[in-house]
Amino acid sequence: MHDQRPPPSPPIATEKLSIDRKIFFLDLKENQRGRFLKITEDVGGRRDTIMLPAEGFGEFLEALKRLIEFEAGL
């Protein structure tokens, strides 16, 4: 059997953040299903990734803003 998936495409845009001992990569990518944000956390070589469809960017941002406001109020 051969893998029929195309090779991963390079990011359209990317950001890298170093916070404490963690590195976060935010990659805006696109595939046959549309655009998405790939968020990868690297801690000592161990990586965890989530994918966020572009349709959810606004809702995700609003939730993040609420959490930031909550944290600032503590």
Side-chain angles (χ1 to χ4, degrees), residues 9-53:
S9 60
I12 297 167
T14 189
E15 294 285 339
K16 179 180 175 183
L17 305 167
S18 294
I19 303 170
D20 291 331
R21 296 178 313 242
K22 299 180 180 189
I23 300 171
F24 296 91
F25 300 93
L26 296 101
D27 298 320
L28 179 62
K29 299 190 82 170
E30 186 170 29
N31 62 20
Q32 67 278 4
R33 292 181 281 170
R35 287 190 175 186
F36 60 95
L37 181 62
K38 177 181 173 188
I39 304 171
T40 304
E41 172 193 39
D42 185 311
V43 182
R46 187 177 139 260
R47 289 185 172 205
D48 292 305
T49 299
I50 64 167
M51 307 292 197
L52 177 65

